[in-house]
Amino acid sequence: MFILPEFKKPYNAFEPFIDEETMRIHHQLHHGAYVNNLNQALADENLVDEKPSLEALFEKISDYSVKLRNNAGGHYNHSLFWTILNEEKNQPSKEFSLAVEKSFESFENFEELFKKAALSVFGSGWAWLVLDNNELKITTTKNQDNPLMSDAHQGYPLFGVDVWEHAYYLRYQNKRGEYLDNIWELLDWKTISERFKNQSPLSVPFK
Ligand code: MN3
């Protein structure tokens, strides 16, 4: 069974950019529900004994139910999201910075393009920076879809930003742009640079 990863910081760690109540509800209730519903969906499809990884499920995602799709995506997306937020600012690696400049000319331009993409998501979804054939690209997905899903084939996600209203509504209401500007202050460039270097599978807890 998948289990909800522990939240490794106090829920108020990202104040004032993301408020404590939003973080608590987002982790315990939203992410918690994705994990529970994913376990149910795996049971419904007799997949529990196989103990498939999230990446293995994504490879054959169109073979499975919508419930499995939404909740496997929800579990991966949120597990990744918590790891790429850090209230202590850090710097990207040289290799990653060069790749950003190669694809987007400058970091400032990258930030602007990312924000534009994230604002363009109609309704609920995610904006992503992916690595596709050694090239950085900005993409978006609807609902809890993930760039690794076989019918999306967008590449390996270096980081994603949750643009569901539940990620920001308490503090920002309809001001998604302001949330995006502020979340940029929290991105953990060290972790993102490591994902760029290693492209490791996401580590998620089981019991
Ligand atoms: Mn969310």
Side-chain angles (χ1 to χ4, degrees):
M1 287 223 314
F2 288 102
I3 55 172
L4 181 64
E6 205 182 311
F7 201 77
K8 297 200 170 109
K9 300 188 174 196
Y11 286 117
N12 65 3
F14 304 131
E15 293 270 7
F17 305 116
I18 308 179
D19 61 282
E20 179 177 355
E21 195 183 4
T22 294
M23 287 315 294
R24 181 180 296 110
I25 294 172
H26 201 173
H27 176 250
Q28 292 181 357
L29 303 183
H30 290 279
H31 190 178
Y34 295 125
V35 173
N36 292 338
N37 290 330
L38 171 59
N39 287 325
Q40 264 180 26
L42 289 169
D44 293 345
E45 306 220 13
N46 294 315
L47 289 167
V48 175
D49 294 338
E50 275 184 38
K51 296 190 171 61
S53 66
L54 293 169
E55 288 85 356
L57 292 170
F58 292 163
E59 273 170 27
K60 296 199 289 179
I61 201 67
S62 48
D63 293 355
Y64 303 127
S65 65
V66 172
K67 180 174 173 175
L68 196 151
R69 177 189 190 99
N70 289 341
N71 292 290
H75 184 29
Y76 184 108
N77 297 350
H78 289 84
S79 299
L80 174 60
F81 192 47
W82 313 138
T83 70
I84 55 90
L85 298 178
N86 192 344
E87 72 286 8
E88 290 168 26
K89 279 192 182 291
N90 57 31
Q91 296 297 318
S93 69
K94 186 138 203 236
E95 293 72 20
F96 177 70
S97 298
L98 286 171
V100 166
E101 284 162 21
K102 192 175 162 220
S103 291
F104 309 112
E105 291 175 19
S106 66
F107 228 86
E108 291 68 36
N109 206 30
F110 163 49
E111 181 180 350
E112 203 175 299
L113 291 169
F114 191 90
K115 182 180 175 185
K116 205 170 154 192
L119 282 171
S120 79
V121 176
F122 184 74
S124 298
W126 291 74
W128 303 94
L129 179 69
V130 303
L131 188 59
D132 180 29
N133 289 323
N134 287 319
E135 204 184 320
L136 295 179
K137 290 178 184 167
I138 295 165
T139 68
T140 61
T141 55
K142 285 182 179 186
N143 305 318
Q144 293 298 351
D145 281 2
N146 178 284
L148 291 169
M149 287 180 175
S150 52
D151 48 11
H153 265 315
Q154 295 175 335
Y156 175 81
L158 300 180
F159 76 90
V161 170
D162 190 343
V163 294
W164 283 56
E165 283 187 344
H166 70 222
Y168 63 86
Y169 203 82
L170 292 182
R171 177 148 297 172
Y172 297 97
Q173 292 84 46
N174 62 331
K175 298 185 282 289
R176 187 189 284 183
E178 210 173 292
Y179 157 73
L180 292 167
D181 289 339
N182 281 335
I183 209 149
W184 204 263
E185 301 294 320
L186 292 171
L187 293 179
D188 186 338
W189 296 112
K190 189 164 173 265
T191 301
I192 294 165
S193 298
E194 278 160 19
R195 287 180 67 77
F196 173 72
K197 186 174 176 214
N198 300 322
Q199 293 157 60
S200 337
L202 188 68
S203 166
V204 292
F206 284 96
K207 72 167 184 195

